[in-house]
Amino acid sequence: MAHPSQLGFQDAASPIMEELLHFHDHALMIVFLISTLVLYIIVAMVTTKLTNKFILDSQEIEIIWTLLPAIILILIALPSLRILYLMDEINDPHLTIKAMGHQWYWSYEYTDYEDLGFDSYMIPTQDLTPGQFRLLETDHRMVIPVESPIRVLVSAEDVLHSWAVPSLGVKMDAVPGRLNQTAFITSRPGVFYGQCSEICGANHSFMPIVVEAVPLEYFENWSFLMLQDA
Amino acid sequence: MSHEEKLKNYRTAPFDARFPNTNQTRNCYQNYLDYHRCNKALTAKDKDPAPCEWYHRVYKSLCPIAWVQKWDDQLEAGTFPGKI
């Protein structure tokens, strides 16, 4: 989850998010280097007493400051396209879950075997127990088996919503009448938080998403218990 | 693989090359249609509708429960817009 005064991304919990994190570090470093260079040149030019009124052209520097940016752009584009194609890989999911957006809660359906469906409402601030996170906790979490490819089909029952979990590198719009597919694998067990990412009315900020990744046996126990409660 | 084996090893709807992109709406709807068409065709010929169970599992995996309920109600009422 996000931390107070956080500047960077949340810790990655999926391989794709790890790649995105590293790519972002790479691209941002290039941006910092270029900005520092430009700032230095500006300061140097503004603070010098030297003048030269007789330069007309220079082939060498023109070649350098054309080639170098082209090379830098290629160095950014190649890892970027690599990740883009990685995200598009055909995956073979072990489990399909439907995340349906409502005003103002998510509901999850696990219908590969039995018909398991439940709603996931935010826990109001006054009902939080010590240690829980304000505006992020829900009464029922979307539990998944760890290290298994999961397919999530996102849709909505009323207005536009968006299902997002930053630490998994996932965001997918929930459109009424449309079924949008996204997939991920969690690299480690844990609890991962997200929030609705498309304005959907008064309580848009109060319909969070909680994904809990657990070992397979725990997942099987949980789904058995949830089916009994239903 | 026989259809019993395919169903025994069923985990979830597999990748369908007809629907390779993000929008899986048609994947859900097509399997729903195919299940009912398969049932109708096989029972019309007095054959065992067991092979149709595959489409049933796939649409159950992919389609939201509310959509399936709505379509089932429409089928019962005779107002389902698709061609079965």
Side-chain angles (χ1 to χ4, degrees):
Chain A
M1 57 156 273
H3 296 272
S5 11
Q6 174 175 328
L7 288 179
F9 291 122
Q10 297 179 25
D11 289 341
S14 80
I16 297 283
M17 190 58 202
E18 273 181 58
E19 298 281 348
L20 286 168
L21 248 167
H22 295 315
F23 171 71
H24 178 263
D25 288 347
H26 165 75
L28 191 61
M29 179 55 77
I30 295 177
V31 165
F32 283 157
L33 290 173
I34 295 174
S35 305
T36 309
L37 176 67
V38 170
L39 189 59
Y40 169 76
I41 293 173
I42 291 174
V43 167
M45 291 203 171
V46 159
T47 55
T48 185
K49 288 205 164 55
L50 303 168
T51 56
N52 184 336
K53 295 179 282 189
F54 304 109
I55 296 186
L56 293 172
D57 70 353
S58 165
Q59 282 293 49
E60 298 83 2
I61 197 171
E62 292 271 0
I63 290 175
I64 291 173
W65 69 31
T66 305
L67 264 182
L68 214 48
I71 293 171
I72 291 173
L73 284 174
I74 292 176
L75 284 179
I76 296 176
L78 288 177
S80 175
L81 288 172
R82 182 182 146 267
I83 296 178
L84 188 64
Y85 278 76
L86 257 174
M87 287 165 71
D88 241 6
E89 285 276 327
I90 294 173
N91 43 30
D92 173 37
H94 291 185
L95 183 65
T96 299
I97 304 174
K98 278 154 281 178
M100 307 292 292
H102 309 251
Q103 282 175 314
W104 286 282
Y105 62 97
W106 292 93
S107 65
Y108 299 107
E109 299 174 8
Y110 295 62
T111 51
D112 286 323
Y113 306 101
E114 309 286 336
D115 274 347
L116 170 59
F118 56 89
D119 298 336
S120 177
Y121 279 86
M122 181 186 87
I123 297 183
T125 306
Q126 61 259 36
D127 297 341
L128 289 171
T129 57
Q132 287 190 310
F133 302 122
R134 190 180 70 94
L135 307 185
L136 286 176
E137 301 283 359
T138 56
D139 53 1
H140 298 113
R141 296 173 170 174
M142 184 179 114
V143 179
I144 56 173
V146 70
E147 286 177 11
S148 283
I150 310 281
R151 172 204 272 133
V152 179
L153 296 168
V154 183
S155 188
E157 298 273 23
D158 36 46
V159 299
L160 292 179
H161 299 271
S162 185
W163 195 81
V165 184
S167 52
L168 299 173
V170 165
K171 183 179 290 173
M172 188 53 75
D173 279 359
V175 181
R178 185 181 162 112
L179 213 48
N180 278 336
Q181 171 178 277
T182 185
F184 58 85
I185 297 186
T186 36
S187 340
R188 55 187 165 89
V191 184
F192 312 114
Y193 296 91
Q195 294 176 288
C196 178
S197 300
E198 184 66 42
I199 188 85
C200 54
N203 288 343
H204 154 69
S205 314
F206 309 114
M207 48 181 290
I209 295 135
V210 186
V211 176
E212 185 175 338
V214 296
L216 187 58
E217 311 80 55
Y218 288 79
F219 171 72
E220 287 169 347
N221 276 345
W222 169 84
S223 46
F224 177 69
L225 290 168
M226 288 297 285
L227 271 166
Q228 286 193 319
D229 281 344
Chain B
M1 230 196 268
S2 75
H3 54 254
E4 291 98 3
E5 274 171 48
K6 265 203 330 187
L7 281 167
K8 204 162 65 91
N9 295 335
Y10 184 84
R11 263 202 300 220
T12 187
F15 171 72
D16 189 336
R18 296 174 297 169
F19 314 103
N21 299 321
T22 302
N23 187 359
Q24 295 289 298
T25 317
R26 193 75 200 183
N27 194 354
C28 142
Y29 186 59
Q30 193 62 50
N31 279 286
Y32 183 84
L33 287 177
D34 288 346
Y35 171 67
H36 288 284
R37 287 175 184 169
C38 172
N39 257 345
K40 182 170 170 198
L42 290 180
T43 47
K45 293 192 188 156
D46 275 326
K47 290 211 187 116
D48 177 25
C52 308
E53 186 57 21
W54 173 262
Y55 300 119
H56 182 215
R57 294 298 297 272
V58 172
Y59 90 65
K60 231 167 60 84
S61 282
L62 297 176
C63 301
I65 295 173
W67 293 13
V68 174
Q69 270 172 358
K70 185 175 98 184
W71 293 336
D72 286 344
D73 293 342
Q74 284 178 334
L75 271 176
E76 244 177 281
T79 55
F80 184 70
K83 191 169 123 183
I84 303 280

